[in-house]
Amino acid sequence: MKVYDAVANAFVKEGGTTIFGLLGDGQMTWWSSIARHPEVKLIDAREEGAGLAMAEGWAKASGKVGVCSVTHGPGLGRLSLSLIAASRSRTPIVVHTSKTTFNDDRDTQYLNQDRFVAAAESGYIEVMRPDYAEESVRQAFYQARIESRPVVLCIPMDVQGKECESEGEEYQTSMTLFAGQQRIRPALDRLQEAVKVISASKRPVLVLGRGAMGSEAMQAADKLGKRIGALISTTLLAKGALNDSEWYTGVTGQFATRTVMTMLEEADCVIAIGAGMNIRTMGGGYLYPNARIVHVDAQKHVLMGTDRSADCYVQGDATATMQEIEDQLAQKNISKEGFRTPSVRSALRGSFRDPGEFEIEPGTVDPRETVKLLDDKLPSNIGLVTGSAHNFSFPVWHMQKARPLQISASAFTGVGQVLGNAIGVAVASKHPVVAVDGDGSALQNIQELDTAARLGIKLLYFILNDEAYGAEYHKLRAKGLDGNLSAVRTPDLGAVGRAFGCRGRQAHTMEEVAAGIDEFMAGDGPMVLDVRISRNVISIPYRRLHYGQDV
């Protein structure tokens, strides 16, 4: 069997049947071979990095290993930002690529690929001999799962067409090496110490992270929270977990409201479940000043963003550990009111309102009111994808409706990743998705609207357009410099969307925003809504971080 046929067959056996990428010289034989498998869906992106961003979104939404394929050299080179972003977000992806022939570093498309991939914080496997072909696929999927990051699998040009011994239908997948994450039971002494700390608390807070996003974990967190009277906060990556609870406080740290921050400063115990507790989650290190911290994570140990350890660190599966803590508290007949009082309930109600007042320029809308309207009008079954920079503060802060899927493409804070992630999410979830992005970010990968149109996915690309790079605009102004240095005139992105085969419109009033959302809901396929927002409105996190305002 040819190497490219054996590798294609192995990918299919591994479950790599939804493939995002861009065809090039280096993987034409493999691409042709895998296309012959009827269960395979090849999704052509218009740019390699965007294809990898789609695979990242698909993997996040599906919980499986994403797959991307690009050619070697310049094709692989275009993956740099997306590789780092996927690695930082701990997303398992296998990237299939090729390489110029051995010992030919004068080839026009030569690239020192292993060093390039290592610099992008990803794994690299290269097939040096034909008989290693299938084993390399097994190892790539295994490493991607174990290390929770992208692994680049390289099949050099002069190896692809050679004959190899193949396992064929008897191919043993990587799941024979790794059958899934085992539930780590916490050590009894650590568990008892955690129960002791929690038992002594009067004002506890549960902080749920990415490791506590499963349905069982959230049920266990809800039960534990009720027993000890805890407030429910989340990290950015776990936004929306248990947000149907009346004790939900939103994203902790720099995204916490002033009302919530006051409460968190009074907390005497924090139970962090599957949460990194980085410096942003810790509010720059100033949040939870009087709290003893119980930190539960499947890793052996995780330092918090303050470079210190929790008061009690428990290595254990999120669900199993919370269940055992709750069981021990029940055996001790411990049940607390904690924060769950009528006065706290009243204070939390409406706490996400931003009291700031700004002059709204003619022909623009207030981004805060805009995303609140979006949240209100879109049914709760529609997933949400957000990005980074200034604009993403608004949906994180003001979109609080419970949704089954909320994904933040912000691990590396590089703009231009939202649309690709959202397309991958829509393909994986088979449910409508709204992606909230800024105009500068949108224009970095606007060509992928063509991909969305070809796929026919129901995606609302909701662009908060201030005709500037908003983060830089406000940072420049905060330093007393000219914010207009970051201003760039933007075309009608609704018209751009229509040119790519999507529905699209521009909105300058709240009535036009509402009409655009209604149009999206009434129709099929992707739609672009170019919402012209006021530059004068500064998000609360930016007012705190860059203007020193206590809001």
Side-chain angles (χ1 to χ4, degrees):
M1 182 180 286
K2 297 291 187 183
V3 166
Y4 54 77
D5 286 326
V7 171
N9 178 69
F11 265 82
V12 173
K13 294 292 186 182
E14 291 285 354
T17 54
T18 300
I19 302 165
F20 301 88
L22 191 70
L23 180 61
D25 290 348
Q27 9 85 282
M28 285 193 297
T29 52
W30 176 85
W31 193 282
S32 299
S33 180
I34 204 166
R36 291 196 292 270
H37 292 263
E39 64 269 50
V40 168
K41 185 174 186 179
L42 290 167
I43 297 177
D44 299 278
R46 289 300 187 182
E47 192 271 336
E48 290 90 344
L52 181 53
M54 293 174 199
E56 180 188 4
W58 187 92
K60 288 176 178 177
S62 68
K64 300 176 183 178
V65 178
V67 177
C68 175
S69 181
V70 299
T71 192
H72 56 251
L76 184 65
R78 293 188 72 98
L79 299 187
S80 55
L81 173 59
S82 294
L83 275 175
I84 300 171
S87 180
R88 297 282 178 90
S89 71
R90 296 183 54 78
T91 306
I93 301 170
V94 173
V95 178
H96 169 271
T97 190
S98 52
K99 187 180 181 181
T100 52
T101 55
F102 285 130
N103 301 318
D104 188 2
D105 57 5
R106 294 185 181 87
D107 189 291
T108 306
Q109 294 191 329
Y110 171 79
L111 174 68
N112 193 328
Q113 295 188 166
D114 54 345
R115 293 181 64 182
F116 170 81
V117 172
E121 303 175 6
S122 301
Y124 186 77
I125 296 174
E126 186 170 320
V127 177
M128 299 289 194
R129 64 181 195 276
D131 288 342
Y132 181 60
E134 287 179 326
E135 179 61 29
S136 71
V137 179
R138 187 161 36 240
Q139 287 297 320
F141 277 85
Y142 172 76
Q143 278 185 226
R145 286 191 177 96
I146 288 291
E147 299 172 6
S148 296
R149 64 170 180 161
V151 173
V152 175
L153 174 60
C154 166
I155 319 288
M157 293 282 283
D158 49 353
V159 174
Q160 293 176 21
K162 292 185 177 180
E163 295 291 332
C164 69
E165 294 292 330
S166 172
E167 298 172 23
E169 293 302 313
E170 303 303 317
Y171 173 84
Q172 298 293 304
T173 72
S174 59
M175 295 307 290
T176 60
L177 306 175
F178 174 64
Q181 183 65 49
Q182 299 179 51
R183 286 192 171 184
I184 301 172
R185 293 285 176 179
L188 184 59
D189 61 333
R190 293 289 80 209
L191 187 68
Q192 291 174 337
E193 178 64 23
V195 169
K196 182 179 177 180
V197 172
I198 296 167
S199 298
S201 70
K202 295 181 179 179
R203 294 177 298 280
V205 177
L206 273 173
V207 176
L208 305 181
R210 184 179 180 183
M213 286 292 287
S215 59
E216 285 187 276
M218 286 194 283
Q219 289 173 13
D222 186 42
K223 189 175 181 181
L224 176 60
K226 288 175 179 175
R227 176 166 293 281
I228 62 177
L231 293 177
I232 307 293
S233 290
T234 74
T235 64
L236 177 60
L237 294 182
K239 180 184 184 301
L242 294 184
N243 69 346
D244 52 352
S245 167
E246 60 184 342
W247 309 107
Y248 176 75
T249 67
V251 177
T252 189
Q254 67 181 15
F255 287 106
T257 66
R258 171 50 55 198
T259 298
V260 168
M261 289 183 81
T262 301
M263 294 178 187
L264 300 184
E265 288 164 1
E266 297 172 356
D268 60 0
C269 177
V270 173
I271 305 105
I273 311 292
M277 298 301 284
N278 61 39
I279 198 66
R280 293 173 294 282
T281 301
M282 299 288 286
Y286 294 100
L287 211 55
Y288 311 115
N290 304 310
R292 297 191 70 190
I293 297 178
V294 175
H295 196 172
V296 177
D297 201 281
Q299 297 185 63
K300 289 182 179 179
H301 192 264
V302 179
L303 280 178
M304 298 187 296
T306 52
D307 289 327
R308 69 181 182 90
S309 177
D311 298 279
C312 176
Y313 188 89
V314 184
Q315 183 186 16
D317 171 78
T319 303
T321 304
M322 283 189 285
Q323 288 172 341
E324 293 197 27
I325 288 173
E326 203 277 334
D327 286 345
Q328 288 210 14
L329 291 170
Q331 291 171 19
K332 296 175 182 292
N333 201 29
I334 293 173
S335 180
K336 302 170 180 290
E337 180 183 54
F339 271 115
R340 300 193 176 191
T341 65
S343 61
V344 171
R345 181 192 290 113
S346 177
L348 286 175
R349 193 176 297 123
S351 66
F352 292 104
R353 187 184 69 85
D354 180 355
E357 295 185 4
F358 302 91
E359 181 182 352
I360 307 301
E361 305 100 304
T364 68
V365 294
D366 187 326
R368 300 168 298 180
E369 298 303 318
T370 301
V371 296
K372 279 192 282 187
L373 176 65
L374 177 66
D375 201 30
D376 290 341
K377 289 185 75 66
L378 289 182
S380 58
N381 68 326
I382 294 181
L384 172 65
V385 179
T386 58
S388 57
H390 180 250
N391 74 83
F392 99 116
S393 299
F394 297 116
V396 170
W397 194 283
H398 299 288
M399 295 183 72
Q400 296 299 331
K401 184 179 288 185
R403 298 185 181 281
L405 191 67
Q406 300 198 47
I407 287 176
S408 174
S410 60
F412 191 41
T413 65
V415 298
Q417 298 293 293
V418 172
L419 181 54
N421 264 242
I423 291 172
V425 169
V427 172
S429 66
K430 296 181 173 59
H431 292 296
V433 174
V434 57
V436 182
D437 207 357
D439 51 303
S441 176
L443 282 164
Q444 290 204 357
N445 270 314
I446 199 72
Q447 76 283 341
E448 300 308 329
L449 289 174
D450 171 68
T451 305
R454 281 184 281 110
L455 291 171
I457 52 178
K458 188 149 185 173
L459 167 68
L460 175 59
Y461 197 30
F462 195 86
I463 302 172
L464 297 174
N465 189 346
D466 59 3
E467 294 200 278
Y469 291 92
E472 288 69 29
Y473 178 82
H474 293 295
K475 290 173 185 176
L476 283 166
R477 294 185 67 199
K479 295 178 182 295
L481 303 173
D482 183 7
N484 289 321
L485 291 171
S486 77
V488 184
R489 185 183 64 80
T490 306
D492 180 347
L493 297 178
V496 171
R498 294 194 300 274
F500 277 117
C502 306
R503 289 175 292 152
R505 66 158 65 192
Q506 194 176 87
H508 295 268
T509 66
M510 293 299 289
E511 292 74 19
E512 290 174 344
V513 173
I517 298 169
D518 289 341
E519 181 182 340
F520 166 71
M521 290 303 301
D524 296 316
M527 177 169 173
V528 179
L529 189 52
D530 177 3
V531 182
R532 299 302 168 118
I533 63 169
S534 169
R535 279 189 210 150
N536 290 339
V537 181
I538 309 170
S539 70
I540 286 180
Y542 269 55
R543 274 137 68 191
R544 289 173 179 167
L545 290 171
H546 303 296
Y547 290 85
Q549 296 180 16
D550 184 24
V551 290

